[in-house]
Amino acid sequence: MQKPEPAATLTVAPSLDAFTREEWSRLSGADPANCRVPYNPFVSYDFLKSLEESGCAVRETGWLGQHLRLEDAGGLLIGAVPCNLKSHSQGEYVFDHGWADAFERAGGRYYPKLQVSVPFTPATGPRLLVGGNTDPAAARQALAQGLKTLTDRLGVSSAHVTFAPDQDVTALEEAGFLVRTDQQFHFFNEGYTSYDDFLAGLASRKRKALKRERRAALEAGIEIEWLTGSDLTEAVWDDFFTFYMDTGSRKWGRPYLNRHFFSLIGERMADDILLVMARREGRYIAGALNFIGGDALYGRNWGAIEHHPFLHFEVCYHQAIEFAIARGLKRVEAGAQGEHKLARGYLPVTTRSAHYIAHPGLRRAVADYLEHERQDVSAIGGILAEHSPYKKGG
């Protein structure tokens, strides 16, 4: 195996404090001169550091930092992996609870495990971070092997790399990781000049349905605002956090993000954030949090204190498409799950993850399960694609 450097070293860091913002940015895409991939806000130093600093992703909440740091012979950072030792499977969106239950019924210990991901964020992005100053394939190989070594050295059951891009999955599969697929729905901007231009590409019946839906969403005198940059005041975050807590409490019982986290990202990442807010009778009643990447808009959290027909679809999906077209972004990634997104212009897309299972028996069982699951995901994706709202042949 080719190594990135003859004397490259791999160490483990308990937090982002072991990295400087500048050196991490050379790997994450925040520094375009030193990175080959479009900027992804979720693997930025500011986003990950805010999760740790706010107390959302720390030992007390079941996320113990085990970040990998790959240095060349001169001590220059040439690769990294955002990794945590986890005592549960919450906040991941790639579900392995069944694997844990089966292993523990058989007398094994599934937790703790290693999790390579962006906490609470089901968005594909770099996981084996590599800078522009080294051989990327060799560096990814070293990082993938490093994850296996760390798993075995800690004596934990497994390592999971979720929502990984193709180049990372390739390196991980070559290192012996098992590949898993799932499905999301993304909007693709085919060079549209306006939302009406996008609508023109839909089948007539679908186009009329979306127009009716958007009118109905605003019938109660609701107005929509786009807030970004200096618009993101603490008062705005107070309102959005109220919405977030309402939805999070009903869906998960205990929301993952705290109020301090939103202040931190508002301070550090304001230009990377779009809040779509709905106002009625002089106050905000609903909102959706989006992050702006180098070529994509990522929809994340939604909430409301008043519930109006179709308002969720308007704020989360239609407005995201309008913003992406206005900004010239290539796609909108609307988060996990949701076949209802198909009718609103979002198409099925396969997402991928990679899993190293240390125990031979569990590994065989998981490999068999994943083979059947991949077939099911592919078949369902094909069926859904046949129900695309776009004109046939478009």
Side-chain angles (χ1 to χ4, degrees), residues 196-231:
D196 285 339
D197 192 18
F198 150 68
L199 285 179
L202 302 183
S204 176
R205 181 170 58 88
K206 299 294 186 180
R207 181 168 61 249
K208 292 176 181 177
L210 290 192
K211 287 182 175 180
R212 286 195 302 270
E213 178 174 283
R214 298 198 71 183
R215 288 195 299 268
L218 306 180
E219 279 181 350
I222 296 171
E223 299 177 343
I224 303 296
E225 298 178 9
W226 292 350
L227 306 181
T228 189
S230 61
D231 302 327

Side-chain angles (χ1 to χ4, degrees), residues 12-20 24 42-68 81-85 115 117-121 256-258 260-262 264-265 268-269:
V12 179
S15 77
L16 266 290
D17 289 336
F19 303 83
T20 68
W24 187 275
F42 300 123
V43 293
S44 70
Y45 185 87
D46 290 334
F47 189 86
L48 294 171
K49 185 69 169 66
S50 295
L51 284 171
E52 291 185 353
E53 189 175 327
S54 63
C56 294
V58 292
R59 178 195 293 266
E60 291 76 14
T61 60
W63 299 78
L64 176 61
Q66 297 285 288
H67 309 306
L68 271 61
V81 178
C83 181
N84 286 274
L85 189 66
Q115 183 71 31
S117 65
V118 177
F120 326 121
T121 308
Y256 298 127
L257 303 173
N258 59 32
H260 185 39
F261 170 77
F262 293 104
L264 289 176
I265 61 170
R268 299 166 177 172
M269 304 180 67

